[in-house]
Amino acid sequence: MSSISALANIHKKGQFGDYQDKNEKDLLKISEIKNLLIVQIVQYKNSTISIESNDIDGLKLQDKTLSVVNNSDTRILWNGPKNWLLVSTKKDLLKHILQNFKETDFAVTDLSHSRAIMEIEGQNVKEVLKKGCPFNFNILEKNNSINSTYNGIAFTVDILDDNLDKARIFALRSFGESLYHSITDASLEFGYTSI
């Protein structure tokens, strides 16, 4: 059985908004990301195990605000105290996590099919995010992530590139289309290419 992506019905390729007479590299780029493993890992309050005792794909969990640890295949976003969101292209990592993160110390939940994911790239990413989110994006840099709201929709932002030129955005699948409309609507004034 093949899965249907969260944005399959609304993500259309092309150029939109104020794109005419602009250089292609000056336009925002918006894409849907599919087929990622997304796992929430929460350490129980009564757990005494050190988070440094386990690693995932060579990465250690960090209990530090805004932090993202990563390699070329996997990113682990700090979601809150003793709470992380793992995002990876390696689907087989879930088996490793379930074997090494004991259920007496951690709650491990596969969220892969419950999230809509999009990436937005370009020099105006910060401005688009500021339009619907109260967070101060001026303090973020590469490998930071936040949880906030965008026009009332809970979302997670993962900064993939310096100066906020590229960000990955996660929302609950059921709110994916609404968030997509909000992001693309905020992008119209700059012009964007949907890829």
Side-chain angles (χ1 to χ4, degrees):
M1 176 192 300
S2 64
S3 64
I4 298 171
S5 76
L7 305 176
N9 296 323
I10 60 166
H11 182 70
K12 307 292 182 222
K13 295 183 179 176
Q15 293 184 326
F16 303 92
D18 187 19
Y19 67 88
Q20 294 177 335
D21 302 323
K22 287 187 177 177
N23 190 322
E24 178 91 19
K25 70 176 180 60
D26 294 331
L27 298 177
L28 291 164
K29 292 174 188 57
I30 300 176
S31 58
E32 180 185 16
I33 306 302
K34 308 177 219 175
N35 301 319
L36 290 177
L37 173 68
I38 304 171
V39 178
Q40 182 176 25
I41 302 168
V42 179
Q43 185 176 18
Y44 298 131
K45 287 182 182 177
N46 61 355
S47 171
T48 57
I49 193 167
S50 169
I51 58 173
E52 287 85 24
S53 63
N54 290 323
D55 74 80
I56 305 167
D57 199 21
L59 302 171
K60 301 278 187 196
L61 299 176
Q62 287 188 1
D63 203 10
K64 182 181 170 197
T65 307
L66 304 177
S67 71
V68 177
V69 292
N70 65 79
N71 60 32
S72 60
D73 298 308
T74 304
R75 298 179 67 79
I76 303 174
L77 290 63
W78 181 87
N79 240 8
K82 296 186 176 189
N83 186 337
W84 301 270
L85 191 68
L86 175 136
V87 181
S88 182
T89 56
K90 294 181 172 180
K91 298 280 192 167
D92 59 338
L93 273 183
L94 181 58
K95 183 190 242 184
H96 167 78
I97 295 166
L98 291 171
Q99 288 173 349
N100 294 308
F101 287 76
K102 303 299 180 205
E103 61 185 32
T104 54
D105 295 300
F106 296 93
V108 176
T109 309
D110 184 357
L111 303 175
S112 301
H113 299 294
S114 69
R115 295 290 185 267
I117 311 164
M118 63 184 95
E119 280 185 7
I120 182 168
E121 181 178 354
Q123 63 187 4
N124 291 305
V125 169
K126 185 188 297 187
E127 299 308 313
V128 169
L129 294 173
K130 285 178 180 178
K131 284 185 176 187
C133 181
F135 191 81
N136 177 9
F137 286 95
N138 294 328
I139 67 168
L140 291 182
E141 51 192 42
K142 183 178 180 177
N143 295 326
N144 283 168
S145 73
I146 63 155
N147 294 309
S148 191
T149 59
Y150 194 92
N151 292 337
I153 301 167
F155 80 141
T156 300
V157 179
D158 179 13
I159 307 303
L160 301 172
D161 198 358
D162 286 330
N163 302 317
L164 295 181
D165 283 345
K166 188 173 186 180
R168 188 176 288 162
I169 301 169
F170 302 83
L172 288 172
R173 184 182 181 96
S174 56
F175 292 108
E177 289 188 10
S178 297
L179 182 61
Y180 182 86
H181 284 303
S182 290
I183 294 288
T184 55
D185 186 56
S187 302
L188 288 173
E189 82 168 276
F190 306 110
Y192 72 92
T193 301
S194 184
I195 50 178

